[in-house]
Structure formats: structure tokens, C-alpha cells
Amino acid sequence: VKYLNAYTGTVLLRCRKDSCKLLCSALPFVRLLESRNQRYPCFLNTLHVGGTIRTCQKFLIHYNRRQLLMLLQNCTNEEERRNIQKSLLSCSLTEEQSQSGDEEDDDSTE
């Protein structure tokens, strides 16, 4: 696991190219995650398979922006709209993240 965001429910997994198909086919069968003797129900869905962690990060930024735009269209009041617009403007890679993504090799998946 290279990245985990419990708030958005997003996980970025890294594996070798030759194991990518096996991992993608196994993910839908994971129904529970266990941590400290607690079981959490889950559903894992492949959104993107990329060659580098940086391309996966870029995909996640674009994906989150699209999700926020859909939320923006469904706003019921002006306060919700302002909060979502603020979130949209904050979706960007920082210089530190983009440099660390350059160091990764081409064997990553999400």
C-alpha cells in the first residue's frame, strides 16, 4: 500500500507488472479488512491501472475533481456550494509529491 485515505476510501496499491492482472482479479473478492481484531466490511473496486505512482496520483486528482463537480451540481444551499468550491481549488499536487513520484519505477498499479 503506497497511499491510503480513509476519508475518501481510496487506496493506491503497488505491484509488479506481471502480478497486475492477478491483483485486479482478486480485489473484488475481498469483503473484510481486519485490524487489531476488528473486522471492517469493504468493497474494493479498481478505478485505474497506471505505469507509475505519479500517473496514479494525477488520476486520483482528476477523479476527485470530477466527483466534487458532481457534488457541486447537487448542492442545496450556498454554504455547501462554497465548501465544495474550496475543496475543488485545493486539489493539486505539491512540489514535494511530484518529486517523490518521479523516483518511482514503472511497476505500480492502483
Side-chain angles (χ1 to χ4, degrees), residues 16-80:
R16 296 177 53 91
K17 285 182 184 178
D18 56 349
S19 304
C20 178
K21 287 183 182 179
L22 179 63
L23 178 65
C24 288
S25 62
L27 287 178
F29 295 105
V30 176
R31 300 281 185 226
L32 293 171
L33 295 177
E34 188 172 334
S35 175
R36 299 181 184 155
N37 295 326
Q38 297 261 344
R39 291 185 176 193
Y40 302 97
C42 68
F43 174 77
L44 301 176
N45 186 20
T46 303
L47 297 176
H48 176 75
V49 175
T52 64
I53 290 179
R54 184 174 183 192
T55 59
C56 292
Q57 288 173 331
K58 287 181 180 181
F59 169 81
L60 285 175
I61 290 169
H62 294 297
Y63 177 79
N64 288 331
R65 281 186 179 167
R66 285 192 308 265
Q67 295 298 315
L68 287 170
L69 284 172
M70 285 193 297
L71 286 174
L72 188 60
Q73 293 172 351
N74 297 329
C75 285
T76 57
N77 62 35
E78 193 59 34
E79 184 181 348
E80 283 182 1

Side-chain angles (χ1 to χ4, degrees), residues 2-21:
K2 288 300 210 177
Y3 173 78
L4 171 66
N5 187 333
Y7 182 72
T8 61
T10 303
V11 178
L12 190 113
L13 300 173
R14 182 173 181 253
C15 72
R16 296 177 53 91
K17 285 182 184 178
D18 56 349
S19 304
C20 178
K21 287 183 182 179

